[in-house]
Amino acid sequence: MTALLTAADFHPHEALAAQLLAHATEGDDGSHDLAHIHRVFKNAMKIQAGEGGDADILAAAVLLHDCVAVEKNSPLRSQASRLAAEKASGILAGLGWAEAKIAAVAHAILTHSFSANIAPETLEAKMLQDADRLDAIGMVGVARCFYIAGRMGSGLYHPADPGAQHRPLDDRSYAIDHFPAKLLKLSEGFQTATGAKLAQERHERLTLFLTLFRDEI
């Protein structure tokens, strides 16, 4: 993937990307790989164009938000964004970034994660959270959901009760359960007006997919 995406693909932050891409990802999780970083970057640039804010802080936060890999089923999952924020702070300090800007990037990374459940307080943090969550819904979100389910050894759906009418949702065991358990709720919590508009479009695609899927089973 690194041969297919280069710093030039992160316009207008090519120089920053050249410094940070080597640190952007680790591990072999295809749902949090460099392609994911690139999609989140494109989402973030769309949101920043509508919302303003410090583009350098946002770009650095995007590039480093998944710099520590923690599997979805790891007991450390809720700590992933904290670990990434700490690692990113060290990387940026080594590049001579000012302490205030490092702190702003770290806050954005710390608060972007759904599992961390920490509210973003700055515009850049809100934009990163929105940009990252956009990649969890829509058609890309569907693909990532099933990719992760396969990676975790989950089934597609409960064959006797796929809609969880008479059982609790169990998205560790069944991929489709992840839609009502989490994905269909995400569009309600977007932090910026631009992000919310983009989220509504993707939420509609997510809902359509689930309707068509259920029709076939």
Side-chain angles (χ1 to χ4, degrees):
M1 186 59 68
T2 53
L4 301 178
L5 286 171
T6 68
D9 295 298
F10 292 82
H11 177 79
H13 298 281
E14 298 94 329
L16 182 60
Q19 294 178 312
L20 299 182
L21 278 181
H23 307 285
T25 62
E26 61 180 25
D28 62 351
D29 182 356
S31 67
H32 292 90
D33 57 5
L34 195 56
H36 164 69
I37 301 294
H38 188 238
R39 292 191 303 271
V40 174
F41 176 82
K42 291 193 293 183
N43 293 338
M45 293 300 101
K46 289 178 184 177
I47 295 170
Q48 194 268 332
E51 301 292 330
D54 189 313
D56 289 334
I57 288 173
L58 178 61
V62 168
L63 287 161
L64 296 176
H65 78 278
D66 279 338
C67 65
V68 173
V70 180
E71 290 283 2
K72 289 286 188 182
N73 59 355
S74 168
L76 293 176
R77 182 61 192 169
S78 64
Q79 300 298 314
S81 62
R82 178 183 61 79
L83 296 171
E86 291 173 356
K87 181 177 178 180
S89 295
I91 293 168
L92 296 176
L95 293 173
W97 276 50
E99 186 174 329
K101 284 206 165 191
I102 293 174
V105 172
H107 173 72
I109 293 172
L110 176 66
T111 60
H112 89 275
S113 169
F114 185 89
S115 57
N117 194 29
I118 303 172
E121 297 178 358
T122 66
L123 177 57
E124 293 77 24
K126 292 175 181 179
M127 291 191 290
L128 173 60
Q129 186 181 98
D130 282 2
D132 188 57
R133 291 188 182 184
L134 279 173
D135 205 51
I137 56 179
M139 291 297 97
V140 170
V142 171
R144 292 179 73 207
C145 176
F146 285 105
Y147 171 87
I148 294 168
R151 189 176 175 89
M152 298 296 104
S154 304
L156 293 181
Y157 59 92
H158 188 293
D161 187 6
Q165 299 299 310
H166 306 290
R167 63 178 178 85
L169 291 170
D170 180 10
D171 59 354
R172 287 183 176 268
S173 298
Y174 307 110
I176 280 298
D177 282 21
H178 196 55
F179 284 69
K182 178 181 177 182
L183 300 185
L184 292 172
K185 300 175 182 178
L186 288 179
S187 65
E188 300 172 359
F190 274 66
Q191 302 288 329
T192 68
T194 306
K197 183 177 183 297
L198 295 170
Q200 187 56 42
E201 296 171 357
R202 296 199 184 194
H203 178 81
E204 291 171 3
R205 297 173 192 172
L206 201 64
T207 302
L208 177 60
F209 169 83
L210 186 58
T211 299
L212 295 175
F213 183 91
R214 286 173 171 168
D215 182 63
E216 294 186 8
I217 60 174

